[in-house]
Amino acid sequence: ATPFADPRESSAGTSQLSRRAEAMPSTASSLVALASSVRIASRPTLVLVHGLDSSRETWSGTLSALLARGYPAISLDLRGHGESALGNPAGFSAEALARDVIEATRAHGIERAVLVGHSMGGRVAMRAAAMEAGAGVESCLFSAVVIEDMDLRPRPEAPPISEELEAVCARFEALEGRRFATFESCRAALLPFYADEARVDSWRGTRVRQQADGSWWSDINPAAARLARDRVLATDDGFRAWEALASLSSLPFSLHVWHADEPGTVCALEGPGSVREMAARLPAAKVRCFAGAGHSVHNTAAEEFVEALCGVVDGQCQ
């Protein structure tokens, strides 16, 4: 035989390969769960939830900074926002949004999460925290929950609009209704709901962006914004979620209330529904003010915010 003889040409070689093949596990049983930018074994995943008139785009800088430091993270578009469908408007509520977040997190294979909710997303995070806290330590999805610049106070409902604007708003209820031929046509549809032209123009390339086919997509959805004001922000769900958490003998996760500095914060620091009342009702909550930061703490005090998030995650790994 030559030094390069193929063992498969002999009966002994054939038997050897057959035994090897029999010893190999099936394809299904040999699969391995792969680590990713969303999930690793050593740290819980940060799940980032945006606020009103926003989308997962607001977390771009935060995500980049976290991933560069080796912290797994994911940002989600709430229903009706970004590129997520609105669903049935009749079912829009804080509980529905919270359940969406919980199920989307689990659908990504995440078993341990640090939930971070900004502004209205903070209200959603409160409800999600209350829903998961009742499941107990063993079943709870969250290792920690961070509320970014949101208190418990109900906000005003969306103002009434004309029948003409109702028709424009209805367009945005359909997913494809957020697609426009040009930026100018999208801008024209948004301006009646957002009187600040500079603000709408600032969304170009970020929350209103051109697609591969040349069309323009709007993350901003006036229909979802009106529902969010009426069904989430204007309700007492923040109070009820906080009371549900306060009623437990202990929490299965650490809870953090982070707020911007005055005058940028939208939180009341004193009085009914304020940050002070949140701390009084639930002493386990850890309150922190980010000096000099605006309402979007994650963008106006980015380095400090990311450092704080990393600290929260590390606290769950000790």
Side-chain angles (χ1 to χ4, degrees):
T2 68
F4 301 104
D6 189 341
R8 289 174 294 183
E9 294 177 358
S10 67
S11 59
T14 301
S15 299
Q16 184 179 12
L17 286 173
S18 297
R19 288 194 298 273
R20 188 180 302 164
E22 290 171 0
M24 290 179 65
S26 67
T27 301
S29 62
S30 63
L31 292 177
V32 172
L34 302 181
S36 69
S37 58
V38 171
R39 185 183 66 177
I40 59 176
S42 59
R43 286 172 170 155
T45 299
L46 287 142
V47 178
L48 310 175
V49 180
H50 63 80
L52 187 70
D53 289 328
S54 189
S55 70
R56 69 184 189 277
E57 180 275 332
T58 189
W59 299 107
S60 297
T62 309
L63 281 172
S64 296
L66 288 169
L67 297 179
R69 296 176 60 154
Y71 289 77
I74 186 172
S75 57
L76 303 173
D77 285 335
L78 293 171
R79 66 168 64 188
H81 297 71
E83 296 183 59
S84 290
L86 177 63
N88 185 349
F92 199 102
S93 67
E95 182 176 349
L97 270 63
R99 196 170 300 282
D100 289 344
V101 168
I102 292 169
E103 294 307 315
T105 300
R106 289 202 167 104
H108 280 86
I110 298 167
E111 297 176 351
R112 293 189 306 145
V114 171
L115 179 61
V116 183
H118 172 241
S119 196
M120 183 194 73
R123 194 66 63 81
V124 174
M126 292 178 201
R127 174 49 58 192
M131 292 164 66
E132 280 295 295
V137 176
E138 296 300 323
S139 301
C140 184
L141 175 62
F142 305 129
S143 299
V145 176
V146 178
I147 312 299
E148 180 192 350
D149 214 50
M150 176 50 59
D151 57 21
L152 306 180
R153 297 173 303 139
R155 300 317 199 258
E157 293 183 348
I161 56 176
S162 66
E163 290 185 7
E164 181 181 358
L165 283 185
E166 286 280 8
V168 176
C169 203
R171 171 203 172 120
F172 284 89
E173 292 183 5
L175 192 61
E176 281 303 302
R178 288 180 249 163
R179 190 183 302 278
F180 295 82
T182 64
F183 173 77
E184 288 69 26
S185 59
C186 180
R187 182 178 187 272
L190 291 173
L191 274 176
F193 302 95
Y194 305 97
D196 187 345
E197 292 190 23
R199 184 185 183 202
V200 173
D201 289 339
S202 74
W203 291 333
R204 182 169 186 158
T206 53
R207 296 178 195 179
V208 178
R209 56 190 176 275
Q210 194 165 28
Q211 304 295 287
D213 63 1
S215 65
W216 287 78
W217 180 267
S218 176
D219 280 354
I220 307 301
N221 182 351
R226 293 182 62 78
L227 286 168
R229 289 183 184 279
D230 292 347
R231 310 278 184 83
V232 180
L233 291 172
T235 72
D236 65 350
D237 191 73
F239 277 106
R240 290 187 286 111
W242 208 253
E243 281 301 306
L245 292 171
S247 69
L248 298 173
S249 58
S250 64
L251 296 178
F253 43 72
S254 65
L255 183 59
H256 307 262
V257 178
W258 295 352
H259 64 89
D261 204 352
E262 293 181 304
T265 184
V266 301
C267 297
L269 303 184
E270 304 282 347
S274 67
V275 170
R276 180 180 289 276
E277 182 175 355
M278 292 171 76
R281 291 187 180 211
L282 193 50
K286 302 171 183 177
V287 177
R288 174 172 177 171
C289 174
F290 285 74
H295 172 52
S296 180
V297 180
H298 60 277
N299 285 324
T300 58
E303 290 186 15
E304 186 181 359
F305 187 83
V306 168
E307 187 70 31
L309 285 183
C310 293
V312 170
V313 172
D314 291 344
Q316 312 313 309
C317 301
Q318 296 173 356

